[in-house]
Amino acid sequence: MTTRGSRSEKVKRIFQQFDANRDGGLNREEMAALVVAVNPRVNFSDEQIKAIVDEVFRTYGEFIDGEKGITYDGLLRTYDDGAGDVDRDFEALGLELFDNKGVSIASEASSSLILDERTMESQKKHRTAAWAVSPIHGIVFDDTWKLVDDLEILVKRLKSKQAKEGKLKADISDAFSDAGWSRELGPSSEITEKRLFWEESGHDYAVFIKELGVLRSRADGARSREEAFDGHMAIGRVLYEHQLFKEALVSFKRACELQPTDGRPHFRSGNCLYVLGKYKEAKEEFLLARESAEAGGNQWVYLLPQVYVNLGIALEGEGMVLSACEHYREAAILCPTHFRALKLLGSALFGVGEYRAAVKALEEAIFIKPDYADAHCDLASALHAMGEDERAIEVFQKAIDLKPGHVDALYNLGGLYMDLGRFPRASEMYTRVLAVRPNHWRAQLNKAVSMLGAGETEEAKKALKEALKMTNRVELHDAIYHLKQLQKKKVKGNGGSNGEGAFVVVEPSKFKTVSERTTFRQDLSNALQIRAFQRVTRLSRCDVDLLQKEMGENDVPTSYSGGGGPQKSIRKPNLEEILRKLLNFLKPETFQGAVKAINEKILSVLDETGSGRVDLGMFYAVIAPICSGSPEKRKRAAFDALLWRPVNEGSSQIRKVDAVEYIKFLRAIYVPSHGFSEMLEVHGETETDSSVVSFSEFQVMFDDPDWGFGIMSTLMKLEAGDRNRHGHHICSVCHYPIIGSRFKEIKSRFNLCSHCYSEGKVPSNFKLDEYKFREYGSDAEAMKDKCLCFT
């Protein structure tokens, strides 16, 4: 081994070689020249050089002497930390040491670095990966280079055999779900390669694994723990680059065992686990990497932004978007120029309905990286959600100009054109999506709908049949039946986008009900909106008993709001964790949609001030009426949630002012036609009212049809029968098969579905002074009514 003395002398010679202005420091230009010179076989890009120098200056900031740059002691420390190999760099530069007599000193270590011809040739071919020669996280020991070269030969041989036999498959989608995925330690280039799927059951793969085991044994047999660690990390990196993720994970796990406090192997293990779809395990590894990086001081400070980014992506993989936002923010704070962190933050904020904040983050990402197509796409989507459609079209088009095959941009732009009624343009966008992704059934379905909107009924029918070949979903069968009805009746559209016939909208006073069992139009309209919210959030599948259990088990500390009242308040990401437990049956992507809907409809009202905190007891009480269970159990759960709040805890009654506030929240969220001010004016409740109410009194307030939540009975009716079909009956306005309740006008005898009835639509050829409707929940009810009429 080289002695400390000879090492320092070599570093001094290297330092003097590149200190061109002799000011005692290596500035950025001089450091860049050093990096290029000691890696003659690597063709660095300007961006890579800048990234490497930035890492050195950031990591060894304590050794930076103003404008002069990094000092000799700083350069020596980089070598001491394993950021480079002194002997290899010294030899690469062609430098020599001389003793007092001027005789060249060839150290034992440097002479041992002379490699055989085969190795040198291999290195020329393979030592081109920027990670391998990076001063911060590259290969440290020369024996590791031999391992890497031999492994490259093994992988090349396996790839050649599997490709020849047709076993190696490539996915048409990108290897990684998002361009922001940080697989490198530090700024990385865009990831464009396709995902490879290796055949793992054949003889060739078994031979490869056996030979790989030999290489791992060589790494384990290294002279020191540090060299063994270097070997396993390099093996893992090569395997990861070739998308052999399972085997890469084995190597990184071994590296974790060798140096448990090093954050890098945990970071890379997390990357492998994420790509393999094991998001929960990936999250655990990233948390360990974060812990190690935070404990390591300046040495691993550059690693933290990448850990936060990938931790956020892993959380999104589990559906935890609000939690992911927190980590993207941390990454952006630590590294303000991290355009991927800003893009991912903007996308996540868009995903939970925080559109203005999303636009701000995405605009910052684009300011840093103007050619970032993904950021343009998500920015356009956020602008569309805010109603800025013309600007959204321009930004979508920019994304497509940057990346002509950008599926999301093309698909979303098609949806925007559909919303604007520009059906030919929408159809064109969906056609371009299908050119890139021929099996995109949603694009095929939307293409059919846009053709229908453009009046091309025959073409729409063909497109629908193509969609049906891709997926056998029931809505496609309904859509085809709808088209047949349109052709049979030769309905002339009334400007609607879904083939509606000619209709007029009647004022509510003209809609009469025949019996008490027939739902009022406005009540049905509100109940349908709540039912749609239940479907999106799946809260109708969450039993209220789970709420009771969660309140009993979840110990939330009491805090004090600006008004001074005690609350069990909780941050939104923590609330998201509770929701994940309540909705644990949902897939991650479905859970994301649920959180977005809850954030937009409920949390935005409960968190009026935008503090990011929510009164948990009030939240439980607000969602109780739309969870599953009998009406009595739902009301009891809401009452118990209000009892659970600190102001009522330990009592069997709640303050009347809290009950009134709850009813106001309930109506503001679910029946928004009545706001806070109107209710306050009518009730005249004040915060000084000290009276209390029992559960029975609370029920009376809750069931009040005018100022309570009396709509719950209508909601229960929808829950019980909204999947009922009515045979051959179709709606006389929209011409879709009637599902749910059927509303029959008793004089003109036309039928309406729930939606058209709630919107007051009637066929234009039936113009009456008033319309009287009877509601049928099922065909059996209709048959029974018909029999009674005959009697």
Side-chain angles (χ1 to χ4, degrees):
M1 284 294 293
T2 311
T3 65
R4 171 69 184 180
S6 62
R7 277 174 58 82
S8 61
E9 285 299 318
K10 285 186 176 183
V11 174
K12 185 176 289 185
R13 289 281 287 114
I14 293 171
F15 184 86
Q16 292 170 349
Q17 176 85 359
F18 290 93
D19 184 14
N21 56 11
R22 298 291 183 266
D23 63 352
L26 300 182
N27 58 31
R28 289 179 176 272
E29 290 75 16
E30 293 166 344
M31 192 67 198
L34 190 158
V35 172
V36 172
V38 299
N39 296 289
R41 301 183 183 93
V42 182
N43 294 321
F44 287 112
S45 67
D46 292 342
E47 185 180 2
Q48 287 174 320
I49 290 293
K50 183 178 181 300
I52 291 170
V53 173
D54 284 348
E55 287 177 3
V56 173
F57 274 64
R58 184 166 57 246
T59 305
Y60 298 97
E62 59 190 297
F63 294 101
I64 304 300
D65 184 8
E67 294 297 322
K68 294 180 181 179
I70 193 167
T71 62
Y72 159 73
D73 290 331
L75 186 63
L76 182 61
R77 174 62 68 85
T78 65
Y79 283 110
D80 287 346
D81 288 346
D85 187 317
V86 178
D87 298 322
R88 192 193 71 200
D89 290 356
F90 196 78
E91 188 170 272
L93 294 170
L95 300 175
E96 290 185 356
L97 287 181
F98 298 92
D99 60 13
N100 295 332
K101 298 179 180 179
V103 178
S104 175
I105 302 172
S107 71
E108 180 184 344
S110 63
S111 63
S112 68
L113 296 179
I114 300 173
L115 307 175
D116 59 48
E117 187 178 347
R118 180 189 64 83
T119 306
M120 290 297 291
E121 284 302 312
S122 180
Q123 286 174 4
K124 288 178 183 177
K125 294 177 183 176
H126 299 301
R127 293 189 185 185
T128 56
W131 67 266
V133 291
S134 168
I136 300 297
H137 50 269
I139 292 173
V140 178
F141 296 89
D142 279 273
D143 282 349
T144 303
W145 278 110
K146 297 176 185 177
L147 288 174
V148 167
D149 294 334
D150 290 345
L151 179 55
E152 289 280 6
I153 293 169
L154 294 181
V155 174
K156 185 178 180 181
R157 186 190 304 159
L158 176 65
K159 183 179 287 188
S160 176
K161 288 181 178 180
Q162 290 207 352
K164 189 175 181 180
E165 296 172 10
K167 295 179 179 178
L168 192 64
K169 295 181 175 62
D171 190 5
I172 60 167
S173 59
D174 286 347
F176 301 87
S177 61
D178 190 279
W181 178 251
S182 297
R183 60 176 185 165
E184 298 290 339
L185 296 181
S188 62
S189 59
E190 294 285 349
I191 298 169
T192 56
E193 67 264 23
K194 306 301 180 185
R195 174 73 188 270
L196 295 177
F197 293 94
W198 298 84
E199 174 56 56
E200 300 178 2
S201 59
H203 173 71
D204 295 334
Y205 196 84
V207 171
F208 169 75
I209 294 300
K210 185 177 179 181
E211 293 172 331
L212 178 59
V214 174
L215 293 184
R216 287 182 173 137
S217 298
R218 279 170 53 188
D220 283 329
R223 290 168 291 183
S224 65
R225 179 178 286 265
E226 289 75 16
E227 190 168 343
F229 172 83
D230 191 49
H232 283 291
M233 284 294 289
I235 290 172
R237 288 297 296 272
V238 173
L239 292 169
Y240 188 94
E241 294 292 325
H242 289 288
Q243 300 185 37
L244 289 155
F245 301 116
K246 291 180 182 177
E247 301 309 321
L249 180 61
V250 173
S251 294
F252 293 137
K253 286 287 189 181
R254 176 64 182 136
C256 289
E257 294 170 5
L258 289 166
Q259 292 193 12
T261 59
D262 194 314
R264 292 173 298 173
H266 289 296
F267 175 78
R268 300 203 174 283
S269 295
N271 290 356
C272 291
L273 288 163
Y274 176 84
V275 177
L276 293 170
K278 299 179 179 180
Y279 304 131
K280 186 174 182 181
E281 294 174 50
K283 180 182 71 175
E284 297 302 323
E285 288 295 332
F286 289 136
L287 288 171
L288 289 171
R290 185 184 69 180
E291 184 181 331
S292 299
E294 287 175 341
N298 288 336
Q299 184 181 6
W300 305 121
V301 70
Y302 69 90
L303 178 59
L304 270 174
Q306 310 306 329
V307 173
Y308 276 118
V309 165
N310 287 13
L311 181 54
I313 293 174
L315 284 164
E316 279 203 66
E318 289 188 286
M320 308 290 285
V321 188
L322 285 170
S323 301
C325 287
E326 296 290 292
H327 293 91
Y328 297 143
R329 280 195 188 93
E330 287 293 331
I333 290 168
L334 288 170
C335 183
T337 58
H338 202 315
F339 55 84
R340 290 185 178 86
L342 289 164
K343 183 266 173 190
L344 288 165
L345 174 60
S347 302
L349 288 166
F350 172 74
V352 294
E354 304 279 353
Y355 301 125
R356 292 194 181 281
V359 166
K360 184 178 179 182
L362 290 164
E363 285 178 338
E364 286 185 38
I366 291 170
F367 178 77
I368 298 169
K369 186 173 174 59
D371 62 345
Y372 202 168
D374 285 358
H376 281 91
C377 176
D378 287 356
L379 173 60
S381 298
L383 290 168
H384 176 43
M386 292 169 59
E388 298 183 28
D389 291 337
E390 291 305 318
R391 187 181 166 205
I393 291 172
E394 292 177 11
V395 180
F396 271 133
Q397 196 57 58
K398 178 66 175 177
I400 295 166
D401 291 343
L402 290 168
K403 189 177 178 182
H406 201 297
V407 171
D408 287 343
L410 291 166
Y411 183 84
N412 293 344
L413 181 54
L416 195 161
Y417 281 136
M418 286 265 282
D419 291 344
L420 295 176
R422 296 165 65 177
F423 301 112
R425 290 288 288 152
S427 178
E428 180 188 335
M429 292 301 113
Y430 293 127
T431 301
R432 290 179 65 179
V433 170
L434 291 164
V436 181
R437 298 274 179 85
N439 294 323
H440 200 307
W441 72 266
R442 293 184 187 278
Q444 187 69 48
L445 175 60
N446 284 343
K447 180 181 177 182
V449 175
S450 59
M451 285 178 166
L452 183 61
E456 301 175 19
T457 310
E458 283 299 322
E459 291 300 317
K461 190 175 178 181
K462 290 178 185 176
L464 265 179
K465 287 181 177 177
E466 286 298 319
L468 194 59
K469 291 178 185 177
M470 299 177 192
T471 181
N472 202 29
R473 298 173 73 94
V474 68
E475 56 258 46
L476 291 178
H477 290 279
D478 284 346
I480 289 174
Y481 183 79
H482 176 224
L483 270 177
K484 287 179 179 177
Q485 292 298 323
L486 289 180
Q487 287 181 311
K488 188 184 296 182
K489 294 180 178 293
K490 295 183 179 179
V491 176
K492 186 178 180 182
N494 193 43
S497 62
N498 53 2
E500 291 174 334
F503 64 86
V504 292
V505 178
V506 178
E507 60 184 58
S509 62
K510 289 188 176 183
F511 267 39
K512 307 294 183 183
T513 59
V514 172
S515 68
E516 292 182 357
R517 293 179 57 187
T518 303
T519 309
F520 287 109
R521 172 179 153 185
Q522 188 57 47
D523 285 350
L524 181 61
S525 178
N526 290 329
L528 282 170
Q529 291 180 28
I530 298 171
R531 187 74 186 111
F533 180 68
Q534 281 181 310
R535 285 201 190 94
V536 171
T537 60
R538 309 306 200 273
L539 283 169
S540 55
R541 292 170 57 190
C542 172
D543 198 297
V544 287
D545 290 339
L546 287 176
L547 289 187
Q548 301 275 27
K549 183 182 177 184
E550 191 63 34
M551 283 186 279
E553 295 177 355
N554 199 354
D555 185 22
V556 179
T558 300
S559 60
Y560 288 84
S561 64
Q567 283 186 350
K568 287 183 177 178
S569 67
I570 191 171
R571 292 172 63 250
K572 286 185 181 181
N574 300 116
L575 177 60
E576 184 181 47
E577 293 173 11
I578 294 173
L579 282 170
R580 197 69 185 103
K581 285 191 281 184
L582 295 174
L583 301 171
N584 59 17
F585 51 85
L586 293 183
K587 292 180 179 178
E589 59 270 21
T590 312
F591 179 71
Q592 285 189 22
V595 170
K596 177 182 180 181
I598 290 169
N599 186 50
E600 287 182 311
K601 194 174 186 74
I602 299 178
L603 303 187
S604 61
V605 176
L606 295 183
D607 181 25
E608 284 182 282
T609 60
S611 65
R613 301 187 72 87
V614 176
D615 181 336
L616 188 56
M618 186 61 76
F619 175 77
Y620 284 145
V622 164
I623 66 171
I626 65 170
C627 290
S628 66
S630 66
E632 291 70 28
K633 287 179 72 173
R634 299 188 198 188
K635 295 169 197 173
R636 183 76 234 188
F639 186 77
D640 288 347
L642 296 174
L643 275 178
W644 185 72
R645 301 170 79 210
V647 289
N648 300 310
E649 206 165 14
S651 172
S652 60
Q653 296 178 313
I654 61 173
R655 297 187 308 169
K656 187 174 182 181
V657 67
D658 292 336
V660 172
E661 182 188 28
Y662 166 63
I663 297 294
K664 287 193 291 185
F665 272 127
L666 207 56
R667 291 182 66 84
I669 291 167
Y670 298 123
V671 195
S673 57
H674 298 276
F676 281 171
S677 58
E678 183 181 352
M679 294 186 64
L680 269 173
E681 187 179 323
V682 173
H683 268 285
E685 301 290 350
T686 65
E687 293 293 329
T688 57
D689 188 348
S690 59
S691 59
V692 294
V693 295
S694 63
F695 177 56
S696 58
E697 292 170 318
F698 171 79
Q699 281 184 295
V700 173
M701 294 175 65
F702 187 96
D703 292 332
D704 188 304
D706 296 318
W707 299 109
F709 199 64
I711 195 176
M712 190 169 175
S713 58
T714 306
L715 179 62
M716 297 293 290
K717 188 192 292 188
L718 285 179
E719 289 177 11
D722 64 356
R723 289 181 179 272
N724 291 343
R725 288 176 173 260
H726 295 262
H728 63 281
H729 292 289
I730 64 168
C731 177
S732 298
V733 172
C734 68
H735 299 284
Y736 271 99
I738 294 177
I739 303 172
S741 289
R742 173 164 67 98
F743 293 86
K744 183 177 181 179
E745 209 287 320
I746 60 172
K747 185 176 180 181
S748 302
R749 306 185 68 80
F750 63 82
N751 296 297
L752 295 181
C753 65
S754 297
H755 288 279
C756 290
Y757 173 80
S758 69
E759 293 168 5
K761 294 178 180 177
V762 298
S764 57
N765 54 331
F766 294 109
K767 295 181 179 178
L768 306 174
D769 292 332
E770 65 177 22
Y771 300 84
K772 292 183 179 180
F773 288 95
R774 189 185 299 276
E775 179 179 357
Y776 296 119
S778 65
D779 264 357
E781 286 183 22
M783 186 62 69
K784 184 178 178 181
D785 185 58
K786 187 179 290 186
C787 292
L788 288 172
C789 287
F790 286 135
T791 303

